[in-house]
Amino acid sequence: AAQSEIRSAAESQFALAQQTYMKLKQDYQESCDERNILKDRVEDLAVQMDSREREQEGQISRLRAELATAKAQLATSEAESLKMKQSHIEQNQLLIDSEKLLQRKVAKAEKEMVEARTVVDNLLKEKKVLVAENKELNAVCEELMGMVEGNVT
């Protein structure tokens, strides 16, 4: 009977150990399956992340290219604007210089006109004097002619 009890206890312990082993084996298998699922999910996420990273890098490259183009266009516009501004400044200076030259010419012409008026006025005065002298000379000549003609007869 003692042997039977020992045997019964041993069988009971073995059955409990067998049950614990089967439970651990099942838990281990479930853990392995879950690990494989998680591993596959991590790999999928890594592929998605790589894809997104490449897309973002491509987008960043495109944006950088657009930015470089915009900067180049801005620099070109600024250079053209500066060139046009310089050209306008030069044209304005030419117009100012031309205006000053014309003002000097007008002033010179006005001065010459005043001098010419003075000369004409002086000539007119001299003409009056000469006309008066001519009248006197004509009167003297006629008187002398009359005297000469009176002596001739």
Side-chain angles (χ1 to χ4, degrees), residues 4-18:
S4 174
E5 269 182 44
I6 292 177
R7 183 180 174 121
S8 179
E11 286 177 357
S12 177
Q13 281 181 341
F14 179 77
L16 184 61
Q18 182 70 19

mmCIF file with all atom_site columns, all heavy atoms in Angstrom, residues 4-18:
data_model
loop_
_atom_site.group_PDB
_atom_site.id
_atom_site.type_symbol
_atom_site.label_atom_id
_atom_site.label_alt_id
_atom_site.label_comp_id
_atom_site.label_asym_id
_atom_site.label_entity_id
_atom_site.label_seq_id
_atom_site.pdbx_PDB_ins_code
_atom_site.Cartn_x
_atom_site.Cartn_y
_atom_site.Cartn_z
_atom_site.occupancy
_atom_site.B_iso_or_equiv
_atom_site.pdbx_formal_charge
_atom_site.auth_seq_id
_atom_site.auth_comp_id
_atom_site.auth_asym_id
_atom_site.auth_atom_id
_atom_site.pdbx_PDB_model_num
ATOM 1   N N   . SER A 1 4  ? 2.010  1.710  -3.355  1.00 0.00 ? 4  SER A N   1
ATOM 2   C CA  . SER A 1 4  ? 0.912  2.150  -4.196  1.00 0.00 ? 4  SER A CA  1
ATOM 3   C C   . SER A 1 4  ? 0.687  3.632  -3.977  1.00 0.00 ? 4  SER A C   1
ATOM 4   O O   . SER A 1 4  ? 0.390  4.387  -4.919  1.00 0.00 ? 4  SER A O   1
ATOM 5   C CB  . SER A 1 4  ? -0.324 1.321  -3.849  1.00 0.00 ? 4  SER A CB  1
ATOM 6   O OG  . SER A 1 4  ? -1.443 1.806  -4.535  1.00 0.00 ? 4  SER A OG  1
ATOM 7   N N   . GLU A 1 5  ? 0.808  4.086  -2.755  1.00 0.00 ? 5  GLU A N   1
ATOM 8   C CA  . GLU A 1 5  ? 0.645  5.516  -2.475  1.00 0.00 ? 5  GLU A CA  1
ATOM 9   C C   . GLU A 1 5  ? 1.767  6.308  -3.097  1.00 0.00 ? 5  GLU A C   1
ATOM 10  O O   . GLU A 1 5  ? 1.541  7.391  -3.666  1.00 0.00 ? 5  GLU A O   1
ATOM 11  C CB  . GLU A 1 5  ? 0.672  5.753  -0.953  1.00 0.00 ? 5  GLU A CB  1
ATOM 12  C CG  . GLU A 1 5  ? -0.659 5.711  -0.330  1.00 0.00 ? 5  GLU A CG  1
ATOM 13  C CD  . GLU A 1 5  ? -0.576 5.997  1.161   1.00 0.00 ? 5  GLU A CD  1
ATOM 14  O OE1 . GLU A 1 5  ? 0.134  6.935  1.579   1.00 0.00 ? 5  GLU A OE1 1
ATOM 15  O OE2 . GLU A 1 5  ? -1.235 5.278  1.863   1.00 0.00 ? 5  GLU A OE2 1
ATOM 16  N N   . ILE A 1 6  ? 2.969  5.803  -3.001  1.00 0.00 ? 6  ILE A N   1
ATOM 17  C CA  . ILE A 1 6  ? 4.126  6.487  -3.571  1.00 0.00 ? 6  ILE A CA  1
ATOM 18  C C   . ILE A 1 6  ? 3.956  6.537  -5.081  1.00 0.00 ? 6  ILE A C   1
ATOM 19  O O   . ILE A 1 6  ? 4.189  7.567  -5.716  1.00 0.00 ? 6  ILE A O   1
ATOM 20  C CB  . ILE A 1 6  ? 5.431  5.765  -3.185  1.00 0.00 ? 6  ILE A CB  1
ATOM 21  C CG1 . ILE A 1 6  ? 5.690  5.908  -1.688  1.00 0.00 ? 6  ILE A CG1 1
ATOM 22  C CG2 . ILE A 1 6  ? 6.595  6.313  -3.958  1.00 0.00 ? 6  ILE A CG2 1
ATOM 23  C CD1 . ILE A 1 6  ? 6.882  5.190  -1.182  1.00 0.00 ? 6  ILE A CD1 1
ATOM 24  N N   . ARG A 1 7  ? 3.514  5.416  -5.608  1.00 0.00 ? 7  ARG A N   1
ATOM 25  C CA  . ARG A 1 7  ? 3.325  5.366  -7.046  1.00 0.00 ? 7  ARG A CA  1
ATOM 26  C C   . ARG A 1 7  ? 2.233  6.334  -7.455  1.00 0.00 ? 7  ARG A C   1
ATOM 27  O O   . ARG A 1 7  ? 2.348  7.055  -8.443  1.00 0.00 ? 7  ARG A O   1
ATOM 28  C CB  . ARG A 1 7  ? 2.977  3.950  -7.479  1.00 0.00 ? 7  ARG A CB  1
ATOM 29  C CG  . ARG A 1 7  ? 2.854  3.834  -8.935  1.00 0.00 ? 7  ARG A CG  1
ATOM 30  C CD  . ARG A 1 7  ? 2.498  2.389  -9.287  1.00 0.00 ? 7  ARG A CD  1
ATOM 31  N NE  . ARG A 1 7  ? 2.250  2.358  -10.673 1.00 0.00 ? 7  ARG A NE  1
ATOM 32  C CZ  . ARG A 1 7  ? 2.855  1.644  -11.558 1.00 0.00 ? 7  ARG A CZ  1
ATOM 33  N NH1 . ARG A 1 7  ? 3.759  0.794  -11.170 1.00 0.00 ? 7  ARG A NH1 1
ATOM 34  N NH2 . ARG A 1 7  ? 2.576  1.710  -12.814 1.00 0.00 ? 7  ARG A NH2 1
ATOM 35  N N   . SER A 1 8  ? 1.162  6.356  -6.708  1.00 0.00 ? 8  SER A N   1
ATOM 36  C CA  . SER A 1 8  ? 0.056  7.247  -7.013  1.00 0.00 ? 8  SER A CA  1
ATOM 37  C C   . SER A 1 8  ? 0.517  8.694  -6.893  1.00 0.00 ? 8  SER A C   1
ATOM 38  O O   . SER A 1 8  ? 0.163  9.542  -7.724  1.00 0.00 ? 8  SER A O   1
ATOM 39  C CB  . SER A 1 8  ? -1.100 6.947  -6.062  1.00 0.00 ? 8  SER A CB  1
ATOM 40  O OG  . SER A 1 8  ? -2.172 7.817  -6.330  1.00 0.00 ? 8  SER A OG  1
ATOM 41  N N   . ALA A 1 9  ? 1.321  9.022  -5.880  1.00 0.00 ? 9  ALA A N   1
ATOM 42  C CA  . ALA A 1 9  ? 1.830  10.383 -5.698  1.00 0.00 ? 9  ALA A CA  1
ATOM 43  C C   . ALA A 1 9  ? 2.778  10.727 -6.838  1.00 0.00 ? 9  ALA A C   1
ATOM 44  O O   . ALA A 1 9  ? 2.753  11.849 -7.371  1.00 0.00 ? 9  ALA A O   1
ATOM 45  C CB  . ALA A 1 9  ? 2.528  10.508 -4.344  1.00 0.00 ? 9  ALA A CB  1
ATOM 46  N N   . ALA A 1 10 ? 3.606  9.750  -7.246  1.00 0.00 ? 10 ALA A N   1
ATOM 47  C CA  . ALA A 1 10 ? 4.561  9.994  -8.321  1.00 0.00 ? 10 ALA A CA  1
ATOM 48  C C   . ALA A 1 10 ? 3.811  10.222 -9.625  1.00 0.00 ? 10 ALA A C   1
ATOM 49  O O   . ALA A 1 10 ? 4.144  11.116 -10.410 1.00 0.00 ? 10 ALA A O   1
ATOM 50  C CB  . ALA A 1 10 ? 5.525  8.837  -8.453  1.00 0.00 ? 10 ALA A CB  1
ATOM 51  N N   . GLU A 1 11 ? 2.778  9.394  -9.854  1.00 0.00 ? 11 GLU A N   1
ATOM 52  C CA  . GLU A 1 11 ? 1.992  9.582  -11.078 1.00 0.00 ? 11 GLU A CA  1
ATOM 53  C C   . GLU A 1 11 ? 1.289  10.931 -11.060 1.00 0.00 ? 11 GLU A C   1
ATOM 54  O O   . GLU A 1 11 ? 1.183  11.612 -12.078 1.00 0.00 ? 11 GLU A O   1
ATOM 55  C CB  . GLU A 1 11 ? 0.979  8.442  -11.234 1.00 0.00 ? 11 GLU A CB  1
ATOM 56  C CG  . GLU A 1 11 ? 1.612  7.150  -11.652 1.00 0.00 ? 11 GLU A CG  1
ATOM 57  C CD  . GLU A 1 11 ? 0.609  5.988  -11.731 1.00 0.00 ? 11 GLU A CD  1
ATOM 58  O OE1 . GLU A 1 11 ? -0.589 6.190  -11.399 1.00 0.00 ? 11 GLU A OE1 1
ATOM 59  O OE2 . GLU A 1 11 ? 1.030  4.922  -12.145 1.00 0.00 ? 11 GLU A OE2 1
ATOM 60  N N   . SER A 1 12 ? 0.804  11.305 -9.900  1.00 0.00 ? 12 SER A N   1
ATOM 61  C CA  . SER A 1 12 ? 0.115  12.592 -9.763  1.00 0.00 ? 12 SER A CA  1
ATOM 62  C C   . SER A 1 12 ? 1.097  13.726 -10.022 1.00 0.00 ? 12 SER A C   1
ATOM 63  O O   . SER A 1 12 ? 0.781  14.694 -10.737 1.00 0.00 ? 12 SER A O   1
ATOM 64  C CB  . SER A 1 12 ? -0.485 12.683 -8.361  1.00 0.00 ? 12 SER A CB  1
ATOM 65  O OG  . SER A 1 12 ? -1.092 13.935 -8.181  1.00 0.00 ? 12 SER A OG  1
ATOM 66  N N   . GLN A 1 13 ? 2.310  13.627 -9.458  1.00 0.00 ? 13 GLN A N   1
ATOM 67  C CA  . GLN A 1 13 ? 3.329  14.670 -9.691  1.00 0.00 ? 13 GLN A CA  1
ATOM 68  C C   . GLN A 1 13 ? 3.743  14.696 -11.160 1.00 0.00 ? 13 GLN A C   1
ATOM 69  O O   . GLN A 1 13 ? 3.925  15.757 -11.745 1.00 0.00 ? 13 GLN A O   1
ATOM 70  C CB  . GLN A 1 13 ? 4.573  14.410 -8.824  1.00 0.00 ? 13 GLN A CB  1
ATOM 71  C CG  . GLN A 1 13 ? 4.409  14.843 -7.402  1.00 0.00 ? 13 GLN A CG  1
ATOM 72  C CD  . GLN A 1 13 ? 5.696  14.590 -6.595  1.00 0.00 ? 13 GLN A CD  1
ATOM 73  O OE1 . GLN A 1 13 ? 6.560  13.803 -6.991  1.00 0.00 ? 13 GLN A OE1 1
ATOM 74  N NE2 . GLN A 1 13 ? 5.783  15.255 -5.460  1.00 0.00 ? 13 GLN A NE2 1
ATOM 75  N N   . PHE A 1 14 ? 3.872  13.458 -11.745 1.00 0.00 ? 14 PHE A N   1
ATOM 76  C CA  . PHE A 1 14 ? 4.251  13.405 -13.152 1.00 0.00 ? 14 PHE A CA  1
ATOM 77  C C   . PHE A 1 14 ? 3.165  14.027 -14.018 1.00 0.00 ? 14 PHE A C   1
ATOM 78  O O   . PHE A 1 14 ? 3.447  14.779 -14.960 1.00 0.00 ? 14 PHE A O   1
ATOM 79  C CB  . PHE A 1 14 ? 4.517  11.946 -13.584 1.00 0.00 ? 14 PHE A CB  1
ATOM 80  C CG  . PHE A 1 14 ? 4.898  11.827 -15.019 1.00 0.00 ? 14 PHE A CG  1
ATOM 81  C CD1 . PHE A 1 14 ? 6.188  12.153 -15.446 1.00 0.00 ? 14 PHE A CD1 1
ATOM 82  C CD2 . PHE A 1 14 ? 3.964  11.403 -15.977 1.00 0.00 ? 14 PHE A CD2 1
ATOM 83  C CE1 . PHE A 1 14 ? 6.527  12.044 -16.774 1.00 0.00 ? 14 PHE A CE1 1
ATOM 84  C CE2 . PHE A 1 14 ? 4.312  11.316 -17.309 1.00 0.00 ? 14 PHE A CE2 1
ATOM 85  C CZ  . PHE A 1 14 ? 5.608  11.621 -17.718 1.00 0.00 ? 14 PHE A CZ  1
ATOM 86  N N   . ALA A 1 15 ? 1.910  13.742 -13.723 1.00 0.00 ? 15 ALA A N   1
ATOM 87  C CA  . ALA A 1 15 ? 0.799  14.291 -14.496 1.00 0.00 ? 15 ALA A CA  1
ATOM 88  C C   . ALA A 1 15 ? 0.800  15.813 -14.361 1.00 0.00 ? 15 ALA A C   1
ATOM 89  O O   . ALA A 1 15 ? 0.585  16.546 -15.331 1.00 0.00 ? 15 ALA A O   1
ATOM 90  C CB  . ALA A 1 15 ? -0.538 13.710 -14.029 1.00 0.00 ? 15 ALA A CB  1
ATOM 91  N N   . LEU A 1 16 ? 1.056  16.314 -13.146 1.00 0.00 ? 16 LEU A N   1
ATOM 92  C CA  . LEU A 1 16 ? 1.108  17.770 -12.922 1.00 0.00 ? 16 LEU A CA  1
ATOM 93  C C   . LEU A 1 16 ? 2.297  18.373 -13.670 1.00 0.00 ? 16 LEU A C   1
ATOM 94  O O   . LEU A 1 16 ? 2.163  19.421 -14.316 1.00 0.00 ? 16 LEU A O   1
ATOM 95  C CB  . LEU A 1 16 ? 1.213  18.055 -11.411 1.00 0.00 ? 16 LEU A CB  1
ATOM 96  C CG  . LEU A 1 16 ? 1.171  19.521 -11.007 1.00 0.00 ? 16 LEU A CG  1
ATOM 97  C CD1 . LEU A 1 16 ? -0.154 20.176 -11.421 1.00 0.00 ? 16 LEU A CD1 1
ATOM 98  C CD2 . LEU A 1 16 ? 1.342  19.656 -9.500  1.00 0.00 ? 16 LEU A CD2 1
ATOM 99  N N   . ALA A 1 17 ? 3.432  17.698 -13.640 1.00 0.00 ? 17 ALA A N   1
ATOM 100 C CA  . ALA A 1 17 ? 4.616  18.177 -14.350 1.00 0.00 ? 17 ALA A CA  1
ATOM 101 C C   . ALA A 1 17 ? 4.356  18.157 -15.854 1.00 0.00 ? 17 ALA A C   1
ATOM 102 O O   . ALA A 1 17 ? 4.739  19.085 -16.582 1.00 0.00 ? 17 ALA A O   1
ATOM 103 C CB  . ALA A 1 17 ? 5.832  17.327 -13.999 1.00 0.00 ? 17 ALA A CB  1
ATOM 104 N N   . GLN A 1 18 ? 3.688  17.055 -16.317 1.00 0.00 ? 18 GLN A N   1
ATOM 105 C CA  . GLN A 1 18 ? 3.359  16.942 -17.740 1.00 0.00 ? 18 GLN A CA  1
ATOM 106 C C   . GLN A 1 18 ? 2.417  18.069 -18.141 1.00 0.00 ? 18 GLN A C   1
ATOM 107 O O   . GLN A 1 18 ? 2.586  18.682 -19.186 1.00 0.00 ? 18 GLN A O   1
ATOM 108 C CB  . GLN A 1 18 ? 2.703  15.567 -18.005 1.00 0.00 ? 18 GLN A CB  1
ATOM 109 C CG  . GLN A 1 18 ? 2.360  15.300 -19.442 1.00 0.00 ? 18 GLN A CG  1
ATOM 110 C CD  . GLN A 1 18 ? 3.599  15.087 -20.311 1.00 0.00 ? 18 GLN A CD  1
ATOM 111 O OE1 . GLN A 1 18 ? 4.687  14.789 -19.828 1.00 0.00 ? 18 GLN A OE1 1
ATOM 112 N NE2 . GLN A 1 18 ? 3.416  15.263 -21.597 1.00 0.00 ? 18 GLN A NE2 1
#
